[in-house]
Each structure stands twice: as structure tokens, then as C-alpha cells.
């Protein structure tokens, strides 16, 4: 009783003492949705002004979205702290309204969802954003709390989706559902976004109709067990942000489910060290609430045909005639879909931490849910579209071992949903630009899509022609994409200038920006030297040295979960290596640089995947400098370490050119045949050995030709990639680990489909 009284006092402090009313809820939702339209048109100030007119959970969630975007796009410490406070307020208000909605007969009662689900969704969305903000925070404890918030959101969202499953199952059992089910199946998932219609309560131009709904829940007394559990979770723990520092971290015991990562790889996050620091606090590792059966590990219910019936519904379906139902459905699909994708792609370096907390991903289901959310003309649909475009043009573009790209416009079955659906993505981009014509984000995504088709110059032109955005963060993102494309296309001056511009636009990793900019001038120096242009060579050497020496003074300023950024560690080690070589060889710093650091960066960003044949040849020519004794006067001094870097970079280009046998042979001869101990210590690059193993697996995967030998190739590919995944700690292992995780998922999926 005392705890409940304290909670009521907390709610009062946050201004959430109003009684709930279904009509008022709908009006508040519509008001908030109209306000956040400005977010997707790059006008955060207008969005904030409109959102400040209301004090509902929906308005506070909208304010949280604004603060989150500023924090996530800019990485400014002060903005991150401010976002954390705003999201904490949104969490508290949503939690209070959720508890009221469960008891207040005047509150909205859905025919699909349990009472208060709209506020549970607001709470989950606030928790997700708060979790990301916490992870961006340089404090380790805040980062760990962020992972715990992800877990809480995961449980709440699964309960919302459990209610959807229960609803569909109840309809299936009804005698009148037969004809309706046939009409559901006929709807399908249309790849053309022209079929997208504005939902009641959305924000597009027409006036929405307010519908008052006060009927009882659809299935009283038969609430789905998952939904019951989540309700109990919210009622008992209240999800108040104030509890994050106390009892929220100490629940009953649970059985944790094994993550979807290589079972023989424990990860490289120093969880032991983190645990020691946690031992000094009153915080215990989070565990599942005591109402769960101890023999049953927590995981979302596996999707069934019933699950997909709601995923086939368009916004104009009778099922979503109430705007609150449409908001809950689109929001739950957005958030849970994003979670499932991200958790399925977590690099092995983070697997131990995620295993302790108990996460599990499902990439095909997550993608399907995001596509469903894009049908809805609201902020949830817009964010889902942005995430899908970023996923396909970003994360998928970064990886190599991917499902076959055989997705047609209208075909999103489980077997091929993970390919690259070109026509569907083009339709999505067109629709989003139509909905939000003022936003520059869609132009950035269009440039990414063009670059993925190996049209780098066109992509640069698109990015150069974008009008200045009122959001500095979007301008920074556009500049960063331009810099990367200039790097892939070997436009060295443009690349250097663009990365230096990034230093003026954001505060993320200036050390990396200066490193790549300096590396571009190293290439210009080598070109000038090869053409006997002494004055130009001297000028470029001076510029390269100046920029590279800025790296050390800018490294270590940004941290991720109390650790230095991996690339910062990498580039500082490179500088130390070159300085040591210059001293040992009695030569200048610029001449002590070995294998092209510029081409090395191209590899780490998987730029070869976006290059045409001309650009691939340019990369090979840049690498050839290192082996030419007439150009590189110290080529005879290069050791095994540098030869391995050269082999990995050349093999990656061979793979991009389709010479898989040549790539595998080069890697086995120059890297695999040597003892891995020879690549350690004394400033050496220890990433080449595990990466070579991965590269051999990638080549085997790409060598498939539809013959019986494919089974053997895939089996061998999996063995090579698993070796890379089980490697000991090495530099940039999280970055390579993302490729490994995605590759293993793809290989296992292919084997399952082919009965292996």
C-alpha cells in the first residue's frame, strides 16, 4: 500500500493526475501526430512548439522523439543528457497513464489490445530511445541500464503482439471468419506503395474522424498469457525511471536463452570487469519477473500463420478503424521489428553481455514487421521506412554473405525476405518523399541507394545538390556520406575536404576524420612522386603529415560505454607503428607509411562493393605502389605483417571482380599458411588473420553456381566463418564481427532451406 501511495505521489509530480477519457485520448493522439509531422520535414523547432501545447503521454513521447533525434544524430554530451531527462519524463507519464487505463472504465478499450496498450507502447518507445541514449552516454553504468531498458521494452512489446495473436485466433475460431479470412488472404503485401492510404487519426491533410469506443475488452477472462505477464510486470514494477537505480535491477531468477551467435565464442566485451564495478554498487543483474514458469526461458512466441494475418492488413482495413488501434499496431511493429533485426546482427564481441541480459533476434520476422509499419501514414510508418532504407542501404551494404537477392515486388516469404528488394525499396523511397517533401533525409537515402548500384559520381552529385537543412545533424550525415563516396571513387581532394568538413559539423570521431583525410593526401603524395613532380609531392607530404598528426590529439575524446572508440585505438596504433618504422629505417614519417591506409579504410567500410570495374582497378593500382621497388624504396623491408594486409586488401578486390579462386589462393598463401602468433605485438595488425578466414568463407559462398557442389561449398564456408567467429580478441573485432554474425545466420538459413 505504501509503495502504491509513493507511486501516486511520483505521478503527481510529473503532472499526470488527469483522468482518462477515450474521446480525449483520440484527440490528444491526433494532436501529437500532427505535431510530429514536422519532425520528418526537418523542422524540429515547429514540432517542439506544437508538442508543447499538450501534456499527454503522446505529446511527451513526441518531445522525446525530437530530443532523441538530436542526441542520436549529433552525439553532443549536453544534448544527450537533456534527451535522457525528457525521455525519463515521457516514461513516467506513460507508466502512470498505463496503470490508470487498466482501472478507469472511461479509458479507451480496444477490441484487439488489452486496456492501456496505447500507453504501454508509449512507454516501450520511450524506453527504446532512452536505452540508445544511455548506450551513447560515455558512462558504463548508464550503458548497462540502457541494455536493461531494451529488455523491458522487449517484454512489453511482445505482450502487445500477443494480444494481436489472441485476437486473430479468436476470429479464426468464429464461424463467420471463413469468408473474412479469404478476403484477408487476398489483400497480400503489395510492393507498390501507391496502395498506402491515410488512416483515420493520421496526419496528412484530411480531417480525421473521432470515434468513441468504450466497449469491454474483446476476450474478458481469456487474456493471452504473455499479455498477462507483461501487465503484471508493469503493475508490479511500474516502469518508473526513478526505479532504474534501485529495485528494477533485482527481480526473481530466470532461465536465459542461448543467443543466436557462435556457441564457441564468448565475446570480447569485458563483462567480468563490468561485473566487478557493478559489485561495488547496489545494482544486481536484471532477471525475469517471478511470475514466469522457471522452466521456460523468455522469448517471443514464434510467428505462426495467425501472426501474419494482421501483417497483411492495410491501414484502411476495418480492423484498424480506430486510430488508437492503428497507432498501437504500427508502433508495435516498428519497435519490435527494429529490436529483432538489431539483436540478430549484434557482433560476437557483444554476445556475452546480451546473453547475460537475455536477448534474442529474428531478422526475417523483424524485416516483415517493419514493412508492415511502413503502410501507415504516421510517424511510425515514416520511422519504419527510414530504418528499412538504412538497413538495406547501410547494414546490408556493409555485409557480404547475404541471402540471395531474389525478392520480387509482391513476394516477401520467409525464404527470400532478406534479399535486396530493389523495386520495393524504390517504391518506398518515392512514397516517403511524397509524404515528406521537405526532408533531406530521403535525399540522403536516395544517394545511398544510387551508390549501392555502383553509381558513385551520381551519388556525390545528389549529395552536393541537397539544400542546406535547418538540422545541422542531417547536414553532417549528408557530408559524411559524400566523404565516403568520394573515398570509394578515389576523388582524394574531395574526400579530404569532406571529412574535414565533418569535423565542423559533429563531434563524433574527429580522429577518424583526420586519419582518412590525411590518408587521402598520402595517395596524392605517392602519385606526385611517381610522376616526378617534386614540388607537388612535397606539398602533399606536408599536408598529409599535418592532418595525420592531428589524429592523436583528437583521439580518445569520445567514448562508448566508458571505452575508447575502436577506430580511435586503431588509428593511434597506426601512427605509433609508422613513427617507430621511421626511426628504425632513418627515413621520413611519410615514407615509413606502408600499405595504403586509404585502401585499408575502403575495405573497413566495404567500399569495394560499391565500385565499378574502373574503381576496382584504381584500388589495385594504389596497392601496387607498395610492391614496386622503384616507387617504394623500403619495399624490401616490409615484413609479414604488411604483406598480410596487402593480401587481404587485394583478395577483397579479387572477390569483387569475381576471381574467387584467385582470392582464396592469395589468402591461403600469404596469411593462412603462417602462424597467427607472428601477427601479434609490436604495433602489428592482428586483424588480418581472422579477416582472411572470413574472406575465404565469403568467396566460397559467392562461388555457388546451383550445382550439387554448392552443399560442399556452403558447408566449408561455414567452417571458415566459424573459425573467424571463434577467434580471440583482436583489433576492430566488433566491426568484422558484424559481418561474421550476418554471414553465419545466412549460411545456417541456406543449409536449413536445403535440408542440410
Amino acid at each position: 500500500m505504501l509503495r502504491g501511495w509513493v507511486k501516486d505521489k511520483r505521478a503527481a509530480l510529473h503532472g499526470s493526475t488527469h483522468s482518462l477519457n477515450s474521446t480525449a485520448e483520440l484527440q490528444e493522439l491526433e494532436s501529437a501526430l500532427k505535431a510530429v509531422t514536422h519532425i520528418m520535414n526537418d523542422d524540429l523547432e515547429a514540432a517542439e512548439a506544437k508538442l508543447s501545447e499538450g501534456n499527454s503521454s503522446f505529446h511527451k513521447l513526441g518531445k522525446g522523439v525530437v530530443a532523441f533525434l538530436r542526441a542520436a544524430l549529433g552525439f553532443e554530451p549536453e544534448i544527450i543528457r537533456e534527451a535522457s531527462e525528457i525521455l525519463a519524463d515521457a516514461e513516467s507519464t506513460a507508466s502512470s497513464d498505463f496503470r490508470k487505463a487498466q482501472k478507469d472504465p472511461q479509458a479507451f478499450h480496444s477490441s484487439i489490445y488489452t486496456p492501456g496498450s496505447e500507453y504501454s507502447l508509449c512507454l516501450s518507445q520511450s524506453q527504446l530511445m532512452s536505452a540508445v541514449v544511455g548506450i551513447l552516454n560515455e558512462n558504463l553504468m548508464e550503458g548497462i541500464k540502457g541494455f536493461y531498458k531494451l529488455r523491458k521494452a522487449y517484454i512489453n512489446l511482445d505482450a502487445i503482439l500477443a494480444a494481436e495473436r489472441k485476437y486473430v485466433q479468436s476470429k479464426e475460431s468464429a464461424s463467420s471468419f471463413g469468408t473474412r479470412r479469404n478476403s484477408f488472404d487476398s489483400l497480400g503485401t503489395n510492393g507498390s506503395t501507391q496502395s498506402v492510404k491515410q488512416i483515420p487519426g493520421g496526419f496528412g491533410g484530411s480531417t480525421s474522424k473521432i470515434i468513441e469506443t468504450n466497449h469491454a475488452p474483446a476476450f474478458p477472462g481469456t487474456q493471452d498469457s504473455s499479455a498477462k505477464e507483461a501487465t503484471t510486470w508493469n503493475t508490479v514494477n511500474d516502469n518508473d525511471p526513478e526505479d532504474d537505480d534501485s529495485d528494477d535491477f533485482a527481480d526473481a531468477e530466470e532461465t536465459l536463452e542461448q543467443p543466436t551467435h557462435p556457441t564457441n565464442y564468448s565475446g570480447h566485451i569485458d563483462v567480468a570487469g563490468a561485473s566487478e564495478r557493478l559489485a561495488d554498487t547496489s545494482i544486481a543483474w536484471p532477471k525475469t519477473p517471478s511470475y514466469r514458469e522457471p522452466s521456460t526461458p523468455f522469448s517471443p512466441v514464434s510467428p505462426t500463420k495467425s501472426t501474419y494475418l494482421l501483417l497483411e492488413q492495410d491501414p484502411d482495413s476495418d480492423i484498424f478503424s480506430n486510430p488508437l488501434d492503428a497507432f498501437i499496431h504500427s508502433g508495435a511493429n516498428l519497435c519490435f521489428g527494429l529490436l529483432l533485426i538489431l539483436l540478430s546482427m549484434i557482433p560476437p564481441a557483444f554476445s556475452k553481455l546480451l546473453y547475460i541480459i537475455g536477448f534474442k533476434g529474428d531478422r526475417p520476422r523483424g524485416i516483415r514487421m517493419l514493412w508492415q509499419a511502413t503502410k501507415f501514414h504516421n510517424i511510425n510508418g515514416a520511422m519504419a521506412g527510414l530504418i528499412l532504407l538504412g538497413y538495406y542501404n547501410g547494414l546490408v551494404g556493409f555485409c557480404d554473405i547475404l541471402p540471395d537477392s531474389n525478392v520480387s515486388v509482391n513476394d516477401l516469404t520467409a525464404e527470400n525476405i532478406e534479399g535486396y528488394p530493389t523495386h520495393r525499396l524504390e517504391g518506398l523511397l518515392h512514397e516517403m518523399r511524397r509524404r515528406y517533401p521537405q526532408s533531406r533525409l530521403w535525399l540522403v537515402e536516395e544517394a545511398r541507394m544510387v551508390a549501392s548500384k555502383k553509381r558513385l559520381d551520381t551519388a556525390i552529385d545528389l549529395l552536393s545538390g541537397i539544400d542546406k537543412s535547418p538540422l545541422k545533424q542531417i547536414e553532417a550525415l549528408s557530408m559524411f556520406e559524400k566523404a565516403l563516396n568520394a573515398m570509394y571513387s578515389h576523388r582524394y581532394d574531395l574526400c579530404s575536404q569532406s571529412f574535414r568538413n565533418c569535423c565542423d559539423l559533429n563531434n563524433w570521431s574527429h580522429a577518424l576524420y583526420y586519419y582518412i583525410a590525411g590518408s587521402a593526401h598520402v595517395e596524392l603524395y605517392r602519385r606526385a612522386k611517381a610522376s616526378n613532380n617534386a614540388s607537388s609531392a612535397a606539398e602533399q607530404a606536408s599536408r598529409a603529415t599535418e592532418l595525420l598528426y592531428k589524429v592523436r590529439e583528437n583521439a580518445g575524446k569520445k567514448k562508448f560505454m566508458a571505452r575508447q572508440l575502436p577506430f580511435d585505438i586503431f588509428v593511434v596504433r597506426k601512427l605509433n607503428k609508422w613513427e617507430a618504422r621511421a626511426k628504425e629505417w632513418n627515413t621520413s614519417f611519410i615514407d615509413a607509411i606502408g600499405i595504403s591506409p586509404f585502401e585499408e579504410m575502403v575495405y573497413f567500410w566495404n567500399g569495394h562493393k560499391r565500385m565499378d570495374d574502373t574503381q576496382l582497378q584504381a584500388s589495385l593500382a594504389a596497392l601496387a605502389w607498395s610492391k614496386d621497388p622503384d616507387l617504394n624504396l623500403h619495399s624490401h623491408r616490409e615484413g609479414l605483417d604488411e604483406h598480410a594486409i596487402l593480401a587481404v586488401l587485394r583478395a577483397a578486390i579479387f572477390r569483387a571482380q569475381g576471381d574467387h579462386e584467385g582470392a582464396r589462393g592469395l589468402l591461403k598463401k600469404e596469411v593462412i599458411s603462417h602462424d597467427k602468433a607472428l601477427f601479434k605485438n609490436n604495433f602489428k595488425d592482428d586483424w588480418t588473420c581472422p579477416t582472411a578466414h572470413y574472406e575465404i568463407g565469403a568467396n566460397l559462398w559467392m562461388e555457388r553456381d546451383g550445382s550439387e557442389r554448392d552443399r560442399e561449398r556452403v558447408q566449408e564456408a561455414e567452417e571458415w566463418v566459424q573459425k573467424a567467429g571463434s577467434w580471440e580478441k583482436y583489433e576492430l573485432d566488433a566491426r568484422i564481427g558484424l559481418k561474421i554474425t550476418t554471414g553465419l545466420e545466412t549460411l545456417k538459413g541456406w543449409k536449413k532451406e536445403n535440408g542440410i
Side-chain angles (χ1 to χ4, degrees), residues 25-26 29-30 33 58 61 108-113 117-119 121-122 125 157 160-161 164 167 196-203 208-209 211 213 310-311 313-335 369-382 384 435:
E25 283 186 61
L26 289 168
L29 174 64
E30 183 176 79
L33 287 176
F58 307 119
L61 174 62
F108 169 71
H109 284 76
S110 169
S111 61
I112 304 174
Y113 305 102
S117 290
E118 65 273 32
Y119 299 115
L121 174 64
C122 290
Q125 290 181 318
L157 291 166
I160 293 174
L161 296 171
E164 289 190 354
Y167 173 81
V196 177
K197 298 182 180 179
Q198 184 177 333
I199 63 167
F203 51 85
S208 304
K209 182 179 180 181
I211 305 171
T213 308
L310 241 62
L311 291 182
Q313 303 309 301
D314 287 331
D316 58 351
S317 168
D318 291 341
I319 295 176
F320 303 122
S321 60
N322 191 291
L324 280 165
D325 284 337
F327 171 73
I328 296 169
H329 177 73
S330 60
N333 278 277
L334 161 67
C335 296
M369 295 177 79
L370 286 174
W371 277 115
Q372 172 67 7
T374 62
K375 297 178 183 179
F376 292 80
H377 194 160
N378 58 22
I379 186 66
N380 295 326
R435 292 186 197 176

Side-chain angles (χ1 to χ4, degrees), residues 44 311 572:
L44 297 189
L311 291 182
V572 169

Side-chain angles (χ1 to χ4, degrees), residues 663-680:
R664 288 189 291 108
L666 179 62
L667 291 168
K668 289 180 179 179
K669 177 183 177 183
E670 299 289 344
V671 187
I672 304 297
S673 62
H674 300 285
D675 187 342
K676 64 181 181 181
L678 298 175
F679 298 94
K680 297 180 181 179

Side-chain angles (χ1 to χ4, degrees), residues 35-44 47 65 69 203 378-379 382-383 386 432 435-442:
V36 295
T37 309
H38 297 288
I39 294 176
M40 301 313 300
N41 275 320
D42 299 354
D43 194 348
L44 297 189
V65 172
L69 287 175
F203 51 85
N378 58 22
I379 186 66
M383 293 301 294
L386 191 61
M432 290 302 167
R435 292 186 197 176
Y436 311 103
Q438 303 303 316
S439 178
R440 281 74 167 176
L441 278 172
W442 311 116

Side-chain angles (χ1 to χ4, degrees), residues 713-734:
R713 291 186 179 109
V714 172
Q715 183 64 43
E716 186 181 353
E718 185 179 39
E719 292 172 1
W720 282 102
V721 178
Q722 281 180 337
K723 287 180 182 178
S726 61
W727 211 265
E728 61 200 51
K729 182 175 177 59
Y730 59 93
E731 209 168 38
L732 297 181
D733 55 358

Side-chain angles (χ1 to χ4, degrees), residues 158 165 169 299-305 307-308 360 362 365:
D158 188 52
R165 290 191 293 270
Q169 289 166 3
S299 65
V301 177
S302 299
T304 62
K305 189 169 184 179
T307 308
Y308 296 134
K360 183 179 181 181
D362 184 341
R365 184 185 177 196

